[in-house]
Amino acid sequence: MRINDDLTVPVIVHAARLPWTPSPAAGVDRRMLFRIGDEVAHATSIVRYAPRSAFPRHTHGGGEEIVVLDGVFQDEHGDYSAGSYFRNPPGTSHVPASNDGCTIFVRLWQFRDGDRDQIVRRPAEGRPLEPRPGAASAIELFDDGFENVRFESWMPDKPIVIENVRGLEALVLAGSVSIGDQTLTAQSWARLPAGQALRAVSGPEGAKVWLKDAPLLHQDVRRLP
């Protein structure tokens, strides 16, 4: 399966408009944003857990990176409410579930070979940064020199410019953002290849955005089995 696999062109996906497709686990559905591969794949998705649903125990052969969008995501290590961010590197394992239901943003099999940084950020945790023009606040979630991940809150009706040297992904968490003639709302995802700056305008209610500054697929990305 190949979805938005041409990494040389900009992509905007309004995920909230996509149908849910079932995963192999009962009660767990997906909206696929990017995919190269079959069930095991380099993949970026919005995933919905119905109440009392779970995914079988699995080992992350290629790592996983998660933002909890709503509800409470759970595993044997703890509960993660909306606004939590974590990355589970290759070799880690767990039994993901949700007692009351949740929605998450997840990137699978996109870790570099040798990346073993495991990070858990609870809501509002992270390193505060000087916000860029148009932003009210910025919190750095992860930076290892190869990629930078952050939450930013943008003030209402402000132009936002983000230079893009390595590659850039953005997920709207709340509010709205205009890019060209498109309006992105919650669960809208944008991906820009290196060299194409993000030029946006925040909506009248402002916006909260997850941002990842990194190669869209690392040259030394973990290979699929």
Side-chain angles (χ1 to χ4, degrees):
M1 184 182 298
R2 305 185 76 89
I3 299 172
N4 293 320
D5 62 312
D6 185 348
L7 303 179
T8 67
V9 299
V11 172
I12 292 176
V13 179
H14 302 283
R17 304 176 189 173
L18 297 178
W20 292 104
T21 59
S23 78
V28 182
D29 300 317
R30 300 178 288 203
R31 288 170 166 159
M32 300 182 186
L33 310 178
F34 159 69
R35 199 171 192 88
I36 300 175
D38 296 315
E39 188 53 40
V40 176
H42 304 301
T44 301
S45 306
I46 305 288
V47 179
R48 179 181 66 183
Y49 283 74
R52 295 174 298 281
S53 63
F55 212 88
R57 174 172 294 280
H58 57 277
T59 298
H60 306 119
E64 74 171 2
E65 184 176 18
I66 288 176
V67 179
V68 181
L69 303 180
D70 63 51
V72 179
F73 179 79
Q74 297 163 305
D75 64 15
E76 65 271 35
H77 307 296
D79 295 352
Y80 310 93
S81 59
S84 297
Y85 166 84
F86 52 95
R87 60 192 325 267
N88 291 321
T92 57
S93 67
H94 66 163
V95 181
S98 183
N99 187 54
D100 297 324
C102 71
T103 308
I104 63 173
F105 170 76
V106 58
R107 302 172 82 255
L108 299 172
W109 281 92
Q110 297 182 60
F111 276 54
R112 292 179 301 104
D113 205 15
D115 183 348
R116 295 294 184 271
D117 286 323
Q118 188 165 20
I119 298 291
V120 176
R121 303 289 189 213
R122 303 290 181 175
E125 288 185 346
R127 185 170 75 93
L129 300 173
E130 183 69 24
R132 71 180 78 247
S137 63
I139 295 178
E140 184 178 87
L141 303 170
F142 176 71
D143 192 324
D144 65 350
F146 296 95
E147 53 187 68
N148 177 275
V149 184
R150 59 179 65 189
F151 288 142
E152 293 193 5
S153 292
W154 295 350
M155 295 183 284
D157 299 314
K158 294 293 184 181
I160 303 290
V161 178
I162 303 177
E163 299 301 331
N164 176 15
V165 176
R166 297 185 288 195
L168 189 66
E169 289 184 51
L171 179 74
V172 178
L173 305 173
S176 64
V177 175
S178 294
I179 300 177
D181 61 354
Q182 299 203 52
T183 299
L184 288 67
T185 56
Q187 294 192 22
S188 292
W189 173 75
R191 187 187 69 199
L192 296 174
Q196 297 193 27
L198 174 64
R199 301 182 186 279
V201 178
S202 57
E205 67 278 56
K208 184 173 182 181
V209 182
W210 173 90
L211 293 166
K212 187 181 186 77
D213 168 8
L216 302 184
L217 205 60
H218 292 286
Q219 288 188 345
D220 56 348
V221 69
R222 293 279 291 185
R223 292 189 177 184
L224 299 174

